[in-house]
Amino acid sequence: MQWRVRPVLPAAKLVAALAVPALAALFAEGDVVRWGLAVVAAAALAAWAARDLVVPVRLAADPAGITVVTGFAGRRHLPWARIERVRVESTARRGLRSDFLEIDAGDAIYLFTTNDLSAHPEEVAAALADLRAVA
């Protein structure tokens, strides 16, 4: 089983990376500071989109354990014996509710959003529990 980033997200980030310098061209009028900020923001958005394109699969599971993305593009395999808990954490702020899949591996906690998984965290947690029971 694999869960990957929604395909629309890297495209939206790349469009935003192109829009920032275009907005700077409209409003900066030779202001070096605004152009500098625009370039930095565009580069950050492009790097964020590149991560989604280079490593689209954020979470993979098999009978041996799970594989999670660490850092920019690294991967870490965790056997089921090292995973202490898989749960869904919900937060509500400013009228918006966010659900996160939390995987507690003892020395590290991995958090995944709906956008990271292209599925609701409750569904992924249930699938992981079923796979873990079989393993």
Side-chain angles (χ1 to χ4, degrees):
M1 287 187 237
Q2 291 183 345
W3 292 274
R4 60 183 53 237
V5 173
R6 290 183 180 182
V8 72
L9 289 178
K13 292 171 188 175
L14 287 173
V15 167
L18 295 174
V20 170
L23 289 171
L26 289 173
F27 299 109
E29 298 180 23
D31 185 0
V32 178
V33 174
R34 287 184 185 178
W35 270 105
L37 290 174
V39 168
V40 169
L45 285 167
W48 194 17
R51 180 179 190 243
D52 292 346
L53 294 171
V54 171
V55 189
V57 176
R58 295 289 196 249
L59 176 66
D62 58 27
I66 63 170
T67 303
V68 296
V69 173
T70 60
F72 185 80
R75 295 189 184 278
R76 184 174 179 195
H77 182 75
L78 302 167
W80 289 114
R82 292 207 35 221
I83 298 171
E84 295 178 7
R85 179 175 48 179
V86 176
R87 70 181 182 139
V88 176
E89 182 71 28
S90 296
T91 60
R93 290 191 183 123
R94 298 182 184 167
L96 298 175
R97 182 175 174 212
S98 299
D99 295 328
F100 298 93
L101 177 69
E102 179 183 299
I103 299 174
D104 186 351
D107 61 341
I109 294 177
Y110 301 94
L111 298 173
F112 301 95
T113 65
T114 302
N115 291 329
D116 289 328
L117 303 170
S118 292
H120 195 277
E122 291 279 348
E123 297 170 10
V124 178
L128 290 175
D130 292 343
L131 187 60
R132 188 175 192 174
V134 171

